[in-house]
């Protein structure tokens, strides 16, 4: 009897595993959102939808990204560190003839090969000097968004060029509409039109909350107690983003897809205090390889997570999403042909077991002068910073009143004059806010980590940071940033 029963269970198991379809995946990136800019890390922020989703899933407590936009997005899309692709120096500027290397296969292409419909909405910032560099040539079935780092939220103009496209077509009819509304609508259209017998991959790379600081007034009015105008508007931008994510999940629920959807939410780098973003109590900001620039707010929610409502404290890096999501999508682990830097985090994430990642590189950039940090590595609990850490080296509290403090910047010359030793060493377990530099009393640990950093440095591809190309000029392309000049 018992034997028959277990036989039935085995059959049931086979049946279930045959029927188990890969989940839909919605990968949400918030631009320049700081560690302290979301409700689950800071109760002053009004993000009810994101907080609820995070509570139903797993909050990522040590999920690292690069200190700037293009490098992080490159990591999400390719699973390679930027220093293995020549993208470790600053970000891709609109006039530069460069893009994320064409021989590195993008995440949407891997998922497309597994049967996914693949769509992207929002910010690209991985180069556009030729069409081959752009989203619909790198694995996305559709694209609605912009190519560059930033632009006006309403006129979609940056540096004298219009930058908003529907696939390859210039989408001028959205001139005047706050981008978040158009992106929310585009996501809704994708979901409504989706054939649910296929898995969906939707990459939502929101413009919020990058500068310029612009938001419809009703969202700013949600924070009457913040006297500082910039921080009040910025907080409104965060709450508007939260509403858009709420709308997106409602659409998925209406279509009966929500419970079959794995949501990933992550910032692309730390907040930028100059534009009111905040990472307190972490040290530093966007541009630095301190934790404030690189430890991203984020969570996952969806099917297959065996333990929820907790924080996952394992180490992760942006490069891990590619092998992780390919595995979730039913692909091999590691993906066939993938020689990148990521590891599949799914077994650890879904069981909240210990992370297979024990070390990570924050960045390695030898191209002088730099604005972001020069080089840093973490091995276990220890972090070694080699040289200049990046522009914003302090601990910044959220601005509350006008002019309550000035943002300190650390330029290279100043750093070189003040520098006592080349290295800084922190124990992040005991000191996650990087107050106690242990380097002078622990030369052995410094040497060990420096040697490890050197082995990575030996594999570095030199930074590809070309001079501006005059043929990029929007005046030569009907007033828009347009491919076709490299
Ligand atoms: C967008 O609208 C503004 C204001 O009406 C106008 O100045 C600008 O030329 C428009 N841009 C495009 C690309 O149509
Ligand atoms: C949905 O996709 C399935 C499987 O690819 C296909 O058989 C079906 O015809 C599609 N339905 C529509 C309405 O396109
Ligand atoms: C969310 O949906 C509501 C109802 O359709 C709409 O009024 C609101 O503008 C949407 N919010 C955003 C940010 O798109
Ligand atoms: C979920 O975790 C529990 C506790 O570790 C374990 O007993 C159970 O087998 C796990 N379930 C799955 C589906 O992995
Ligand atoms: C999250 O990280 C902080 C250090 O910043 C640590 O104190 C805390 O225990 C971690 N949370 C969990 C649940 O591991
Ligand atoms: C900020 O800098 C300005 C100009 O240097 C100075 O006048 C002001 O006192 C500073 N404010 C604070 C709070 O330090």
């Amino acid at each position: 009897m018992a034997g028959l029963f277990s036989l039935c269970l085995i059959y049931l198991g086979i049946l279930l595993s045959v029927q188990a379809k890969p989940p839909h995946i919605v990968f949400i990136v918030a631009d320049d959102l700081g560690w302290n800019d979301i409700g689950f890390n800071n109760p002053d922020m009004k993000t009810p939808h994101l907080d609820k989703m995070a509570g139903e899933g797993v909050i990522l407590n040590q999920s690292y990204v690069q200190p700037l936009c293009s490098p992080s997005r490159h990591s999400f899309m390719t699973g390679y560190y930027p220093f293995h692709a020549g993208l470790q120096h600053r970000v891709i500027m609109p006039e530069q003839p460069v893009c994320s290397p064409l021989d590195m296969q993008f995440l949407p292409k891997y998922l497309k090969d597994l049967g996914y419909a693949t769509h992207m909405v929002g910010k690209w910032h991985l180069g556009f000097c030729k069409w081959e560099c752009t989203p619909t040539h790198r694995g996305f079935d559709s694209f609605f968004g912009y190519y560059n780092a930033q632009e006006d939220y309403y006129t979609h103009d940056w540096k004298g060029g219009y930058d908003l496209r529907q696939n390859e077509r210039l989408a001028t009819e959205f001139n005047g509409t706050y981008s978040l509304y158009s992106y929310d609508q585009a996501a809704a259209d994708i979901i409504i039109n989706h054939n649910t017998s296929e898995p969906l991959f939707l990459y939502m790379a929101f413009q919020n909350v990058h500068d310029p600081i612009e938001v419809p007034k009703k969202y700013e009015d949600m924070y009457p107690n913040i006297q500082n105008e910039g921080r009040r508007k910025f907080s409104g931008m965060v709450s508007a983003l939260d509403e858009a994510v709420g709308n997106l999940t409602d659409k998925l629920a209406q279509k009966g897809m929500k419970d079959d959807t794995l949501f990933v939410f992550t910032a692309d780098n730390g907040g930028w205090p100059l534009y009111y973003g905040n990472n307190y109590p972490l040290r530093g900001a966007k541009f630095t390889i301190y934790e404030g620039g690189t430890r991203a707010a984020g969570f996952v929610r969806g099917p297959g997570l065996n333990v929820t409502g907790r924080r996952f404290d394992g180490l992760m890096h942006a490069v891990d999403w590619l092998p992780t999501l390919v595995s979730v999508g039913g692909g091999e682990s590691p993906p066939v042909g993938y020689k990148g830097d990521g590891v599949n985090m799914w077994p650890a994430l879904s069981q909240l077991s210990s992370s297979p990642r024990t070390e990570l590189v924050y960045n390695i950039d030898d191209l002088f002068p730099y604005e972001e940090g020069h080089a840093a590595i973490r091995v276990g609990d220890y972090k070694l910073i080699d040289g200049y850490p990046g522009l914003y080296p302090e601990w910044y509290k959220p601005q509350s009143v006008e002019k309550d403090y000035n943002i300190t910047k650390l330029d290279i010359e100043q750093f070189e004059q003040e520098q006592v030793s080349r290295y800084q060493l922190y124990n992040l377990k005991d000191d996650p806010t990087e107050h106690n530099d242990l380097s002078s009393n622990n030369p052995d640990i410094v040497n060990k980590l420096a040697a490890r950093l050197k082995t990575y440095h030996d594999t570095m591809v030199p930074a590809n940071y070309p001079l501006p190309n005059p043929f990029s000029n929007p005046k030569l392309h009907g007033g828009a940033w347009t491919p076709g000049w490299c």
Side-chain angles (χ1 to χ4, degrees):
M1 204 51 198
L4 195 65
F5 182 66
S6 55
L7 208 65
C8 285
L9 278 185
I10 290 168
Y11 274 117
L12 192 68
I14 292 171
L15 207 65
L16 285 175
S17 67
V18 166
Q19 284 181 345
K21 282 198 301 185
H24 308 296
I25 299 171
V26 176
F27 191 96
I28 304 171
V29 178
D31 202 357
D32 284 9
L33 181 84
W35 177 259
N36 199 33
D37 290 331
I38 191 160
F40 57 74
N41 283 339
N42 174 1
D44 293 340
M45 301 304 297
K46 295 174 183 164
T47 55
H49 299 100
L50 292 167
D51 294 351
K52 181 164 186 287
M53 290 169 78
E56 293 163 353
V58 171
I59 294 175
L60 306 174
N61 207 38
Q62 300 202 71
S63 173
Y64 287 87
V65 289
Q66 297 294 130
L68 288 173
C69 304
S70 303
S72 282
R73 286 156 204 268
H74 163 83
S75 300
F76 295 147
M77 287 294 115
T78 66
Y80 284 80
Y81 281 131
F83 72 86
H84 282 151
L87 290 175
Q88 62 270 47
H89 189 68
R90 298 179 179 163
V91 300
I92 299 175
M93 294 306 286
E95 306 87 354
Q96 284 183 308
V98 57
C99 70
S100 190
L102 293 174
D103 59 357
M104 291 183 177
Q105 183 170 312
F106 273 35
L107 174 59
K109 177 70 168 69
Y110 281 104
L111 292 175
K112 204 173 157 57
D113 291 347
L114 292 168
Y116 276 75
T118 57
H119 300 277
M120 166 170 183
V121 175
K123 166 167 158 176
W124 181 240
H125 207 187
L126 290 174
F128 68 96
C129 61
K130 55 180 155 194
W131 289 110
E132 289 86 336
C133 297
T134 64
T136 50
H137 294 257
R138 305 220 68 175
F140 285 107
D141 297 335
S142 81
F143 168 63
F144 176 63
Y146 57 113
Y147 291 147
N148 281 301
Q150 66 176 90
E151 59 187 6
D152 188 280
Y153 281 76
Y154 295 92
T155 64
H156 316 300
D157 180 281
W158 193 35
K159 297 178 145 202
Y162 191 83
D163 188 6
L164 186 63
R165 280 176 199 264
Q166 179 95 61
N167 297 325
E168 298 183 359
R169 179 185 69 85
L170 211 56
T172 48
E173 68 273 28
F174 295 94
N175 189 1
T177 304
Y178 190 63
S179 72
L180 186 67
Y181 292 133
S182 320
Y183 295 157
D184 204 21
Q185 187 58 49
D189 292 344
I190 288 166
I191 293 163
I192 289 163
N193 293 324
H194 180 66
N195 179 345
T196 51
S197 59
E198 291 167 1
L200 169 70
F201 173 60
L202 174 58
Y203 176 41
M204 285 300 295
F206 284 106
Q207 182 171 2
N208 294 56
V209 292
H210 199 291
D211 73 291
I213 300 305
E214 295 176 328
V215 74
K217 188 151 185 315
K218 65 171 177 176
Y219 301 103
E220 177 186 349
D221 288 347
M222 292 168 73
Y223 295 88
N225 297 331
I226 303 182
Q227 287 176 43
N228 181 290
E229 187 192 349
R231 180 68 185 170
R232 186 170 65 242
K233 286 189 168 150
F234 177 93
S235 301
M237 293 167 81
V238 176
S239 290
L241 169 70
D242 179 74
E243 183 182 291
V245 174
N247 285 357
L248 192 158
T249 52
D250 285 352
K251 274 285 169 304
L252 287 164
Q254 281 166 27
K255 183 95 175 180
M257 292 165 69
K258 186 178 165 195
D259 292 340
D260 303 327
T261 299
L262 181 72
F263 295 90
V264 175
F265 178 91
T266 179
D268 65 336
N269 47 245
W272 194 358
L274 206 57
Y275 290 101
Y276 312 102
N278 196 265
N279 311 300
Y280 198 78
L282 301 181
R283 183 174 188 176
K286 175 176 180 179
F287 287 99
T288 77
I289 46 185
Y290 286 122
E291 300 291 286
T294 54
R295 187 174 160 192
F299 65 82
V300 290
R301 177 207 186 273
L305 293 173
N306 192 19
V307 188
T308 57
R310 299 239 312 261
R311 281 185 187 241
F312 175 60
D313 203 36
L315 270 193
M316 295 189 56
H317 188 275
V319 292
D320 297 332
W321 289 115
L322 185 137
T324 302
L325 296 178
V326 169
S327 142
V328 163
E332 287 185 41
S333 179
V336 179
Y338 172 68
K339 302 214 159 43
D341 301 295
V343 289
N344 178 7
M345 297 298 301
W346 189 246
L349 258 182
S350 56
Q351 306 298 332
L352 287 200
S353 53
S354 63
S355 172
R357 176 175 286 288
T358 54
E359 63 180 43
L360 61 90
V361 176
Y362 291 78
N363 201 23
I364 305 177
D365 179 15
D366 285 353
L367 194 59
F368 197 83
Y370 12 71
E371 293 168 339
E372 80 289 7
H374 164 233
I377 187 170
R378 177 168 177 177
V379 179
D381 295 334
Y382 285 102
K383 171 177 181 178
L384 183 79
I385 298 178
D386 179 355
Y388 179 66
L391 275 179
Y392 304 96
E394 303 283 336
W395 297 263
Y396 308 94
K397 288 190 177 161
Q399 291 97 331
S400 55
V401 294
E402 286 310 327
K403 307 249 177 284
D404 53 355
Y405 62 87
N406 287 330
I407 309 291
T408 17
K409 270 199 195 180
L410 179 69
D411 62 41
I412 294 235
E413 285 78 27
Q414 185 194 350
F415 173 75
E416 303 222 305
Q417 278 158 27
E418 292 176 2
Q419 189 183 19
V420 258
S421 88
R422 173 174 168 184
Y423 292 116
Q424 297 176 54
L425 179 72
Y426 298 99
N427 180 328
L428 292 177
K429 187 157 197 258
D430 301 343
D431 179 26
T433 54
E434 297 169 292
H435 279 87
N436 305 313
D437 178 1
L438 306 171
S439 61
S440 53
N441 292 329
N442 295 276
D444 293 353
I445 303 174
V446 168
N447 290 339
K448 192 168 148 252
L449 266 66
R452 191 73 195 126
L453 189 56
K454 186 180 177 302
T455 63
Y456 282 103
H457 190 282
D458 290 344
T459 67
M460 184 186 76
V461 173
N464 181 12
Y465 201 77
L467 290 171
N469 181 327
F471 295 104
S472 62
N473 192 334
K475 289 202 177 79
L476 303 173
H477 307 276
W481 293 107
T482 303
W485 42 273
C486 73

